[in-house]
Amino acid sequence: KKPSTSPEHIDVQAIKCPGSHTRDAEAWVFSMFCFLLLLLLFILINDVVRPNFPVFDAVLLTYQDIGIITLFWFEWSQKISKMFFVFRVALLDVDVYEPTCATDWGFNWAFRLMLSLPLLFAAANAFGYVTGLREGGKAFAGALSFFINAQASLLFYCLAVFSCRHVHPMDTYYYVEELDTSCETESTLVMRIFAAAYLALIGGVTSALFMRLKRAADRDELNTERVLLRYGFMYKTFRMGALWWGVVRIVKQASLVFILTIAWRSPEDQAVWALIVLTVYGFGAARWQPSQLHEVNNSELAGVGITIVVVCLGLSFTSLNNDDGLSDKAEWRYVGYFAAAQILYLIGASWATFRDVWAVRARLHVAKQVNALHSRVVRARRRGRLRSQMSFDLESTEDDSSSRRAWRALRTVGSAVAAMSGRDIGATDTASRRVSFFDASDDPEPSTERRAAAVAARR
């Protein structure tokens, strides 16, 4: 395409370039704005939707599988191809938007930007950690989770560099994914070197990740705060005994990407091998039920079924186009099948997510009420103990007043006995001893007064 007439593209949909011509400031601003929106959408998917909504995490996983299937060499119709950009966004593929108004966009540009995207996300999370906008564990998890979630697209671009086809009239090799770009250039050699290094990086990081999780499992550290915050996105939704299911998901998508890049000469072979992979994965998901939530297991199984339907539709489009051509009526019929399957799947996933969110809010509400009730019970118990203590103090005070009155009465009797002359001294001594015995045990008056009263009684 000539730069002066190339429009902007969102997947297969063209957008008119802004301004009077391409490559001006207005075109650059528009392209950067669209890329910024795309990156924000990637952040929303990676950091908000997938970690917090397990059902939609299964939906996005299905959409990634469908995004790989849409890249198969089926003879898709133009009408149904317009809906494919949704699945390319789920794949976190930068090539969903082609800024041809601002640059000579092609496979080489998409390759460079796609391989640098995880590094940009890692740098953004590191910046957030340094500036205090993100915690260290969350920043680490954000960068690592994007690298894992975008692994299907990264693997596709790394393998596509080595996938070339021979064009006989010109006796040269061109990219399978872009027939107007030659494979026999120095840039292709450099890209293959980077692709090989990136494949080693993907294998190394993924292996190190699962070795780290294995050590954490052996040490019973999977539920610790540090490990859960950094690596929980890989296993926290799985039940015990199925924590390894994340490996199965990665292997499934890697298998589909290998089928896409290796068996490109025959779309029928691609379909057969894809159906084998999806069927084996579906049987495994039905057998082990890996997720803790029943809704997530159902969504994942339904997603496998939807992906198989998409493969069958791709075969149908290819067969009809290779025979007598696809009529408009048949095309709309197959588009209706595809749209109905996607709408029903989204309705089911949305309803399951609504029920899950409602259940979580209900549990939080009940927990809040229980905490409030517990606080009220604790306060009531404290008030009850205070009232009991106050009652005891009042009773003790009353007992002390009675003792004081009794002591005063006995002291009056002692004084009267002391004032009487010719009385029995023994009786007086007995009375004084009784008074002294009472004083020693219960009398709250000072001891000086007790001694004075005893001396007066003896006299």
Side-chain angles (χ1 to χ4, degrees), residues 3 36 41 76 79 132 164 179 197 238 261 336 345 359-360 410 418 423 430 438 443:
L36 181 61
L41 187 58
W76 300 105
K79 292 184 177 64
C164 298
L179 296 179
F238 300 141
T261 55
Y345 184 46
V360 169
L410 288 175
R423 298 286 183 175
T430 302
F438 178 80
D443 178 32

Side-chain angles (χ1 to χ4, degrees), residues 56-74:
F56 275 109
D57 179 42
V59 171
L60 288 170
L61 183 70
T62 299
Y63 278 8
Q64 286 187 333
D65 297 343
I66 296 176
I68 299 172
I69 299 300
T70 58
L71 294 175
F72 280 13
W73 285 87
F74 297 142

Side-chain angles (χ1 to χ4, degrees), residues 238-245 288-290:
F238 300 141
R239 62 174 179 83
M240 294 300 296
L243 300 179
W244 43 268
W245 193 253
W288 279 287
Q289 296 285 310

